[in-house]
């Protein structure tokens, strides 16, 4: 776990002044570390009968795809508006300034599906909460979330209240 944390690159003032961006790309460069991260992100949900892993654009795809294979579940991308070709569910959510939206193929999750939502970083929880709303709109059950990193001080966990949240690395 210490190796993993050491590999995360802190980029100050990106994408805006005052933000420390936690860059996960060095983890991807090291197959040993990347493999461990994927396995440990999947571990809490072994035996949870996950049928769909929903991965959030874009860095969520990098972890969601191998986790889906590991858990023997289908992979579902959630994307920014206008990127998915077939019929979609859409949800709008609040940002610090204004709103944003996410979309998921309407037929990708069915009632009865047991869903794990994956992203690289849990910050304020707005994005993850929107992903859970999309899954809910299709009748799927959100079993939990798996993140590589949780920024504890932003209290995203509170926004996802009552849901199971797993994160490998924490920043206070
Ligand atoms: P939020 O909706 O505030 O929880 O933001 C989560 C999304 O923004 C995730 O998809 C992250 O990839 C990205 N994100 C937010 N803050 C950071 C950060 N400090 N470093 C890297 N990615 C971040």
């Amino acid at each position: 776990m210490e190796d993993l944390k050491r590999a995360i690159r802190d980029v100050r003032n990106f994408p805006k002044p005052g933000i420390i961006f936690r860059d996960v790309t060095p983890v991807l460069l090291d197959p040993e570390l990347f493999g461990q991260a994927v396995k440990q992100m999947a571990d809490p949900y072994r035996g949870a009968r996950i049928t769909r892993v929903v991965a959030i654009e874009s860095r969520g795809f990098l972890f969601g795809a191998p986790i889906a294979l590991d858990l023997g579940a289908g992979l579902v991308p959630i994307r920014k508006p206008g990127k998915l070709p077939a019929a979609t569910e859409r949800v709008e959510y609040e940002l610090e300034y204004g709103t944003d939206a996410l979309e998921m193929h309407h037929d990708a999750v069915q009632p009865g599906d047991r869903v794990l939502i994956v992203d690289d970083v849990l910050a304020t929880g707005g994005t993850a909460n929107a992903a859970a709303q999309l899954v809910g709109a299709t009748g799927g059950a959100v079993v939990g979330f798996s993140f590589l990193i949780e920024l504890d001080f932003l209290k995203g966990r509170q926004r996802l209240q009552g849901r199971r949240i797993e994160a490998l690395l924490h920043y206070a």
Side-chain angles (χ1 to χ4, degrees), residues 20-22 59 119-127 151:
I20 304 175
F21 191 88
R22 309 295 177 176
R59 289 178 300 278
D119 204 357
D120 63 337
V121 174
L122 173 62
T124 66
T127 308
L151 305 180

Side-chain angles (χ1 to χ4, degrees), residues 9 11 14-15 19-24 56-60 80 93-95 119-129 147 149 151 153-154 156 159:
R9 175 164 53 191
V11 183
F14 182 89
I19 304 285
I20 304 175
F21 191 88
R22 309 295 177 176
D23 175 19
V24 301
I56 303 174
E57 181 168 358
S58 58
R59 289 178 300 278
K80 303 277 165 59
Y93 61 104
E94 302 284 320
L95 296 176
D119 204 357
D120 63 337
V121 174
L122 173 62
T124 66
T127 308
N129 190 45
F147 302 96
I149 295 170
L151 305 180
F153 59 96
L154 291 176
R159 197 135 169 203

Side-chain angles (χ1 to χ4, degrees), residues 19-38:
I19 304 285
I20 304 175
F21 191 88
R22 309 295 177 176
D23 175 19
V24 301
T25 61
V27 175
L28 310 176
L29 285 173
D30 182 333
E32 176 74 21
L33 218 47
F34 185 28
Q36 277 178 25
V38 166

Side-chain angles (χ1 to χ4, degrees), residues 5 22 121-125 147-159 165-172:
K5 198 158 193 175
R22 309 295 177 176
V121 174
L122 173 62
T124 66
F147 302 96
L148 182 63
I149 295 170
E150 179 173 358
L151 305 180
D152 297 347
F153 59 96
L154 291 176
K155 301 189 166 57
R157 195 170 271 270
Q158 285 180 8
R159 197 135 169 203
I165 299 162
E166 304 284 346
L168 295 189
L169 302 175
H170 294 264
Y171 291 79

Side-chain angles (χ1 to χ4, degrees), residues 64-136:
I67 289 170
L69 288 174
D70 190 350
L71 293 178
L75 174 67
V76 179
I78 280 186
R79 300 210 61 183
K80 303 277 165 59
K83 302 282 190 183
L84 290 169
T88 57
E89 295 288 340
R90 177 191 173 95
V91 66
E92 298 202 348
Y93 61 104
E94 302 284 320
L95 296 176
E96 197 177 348
Y97 302 105
T99 62
D100 210 343
L102 289 174
E103 294 181 350
M104 185 179 81
H105 273 149
H106 175 73
D107 60 359
V109 176
Q110 306 282 335
D113 269 324
R114 294 175 55 77
V115 177
L116 172 64
I117 298 174
V118 171
D119 204 357
D120 63 337
V121 174
L122 173 62
T124 66
T127 308
N129 190 45
Q133 280 178 256
L134 279 175
V135 171

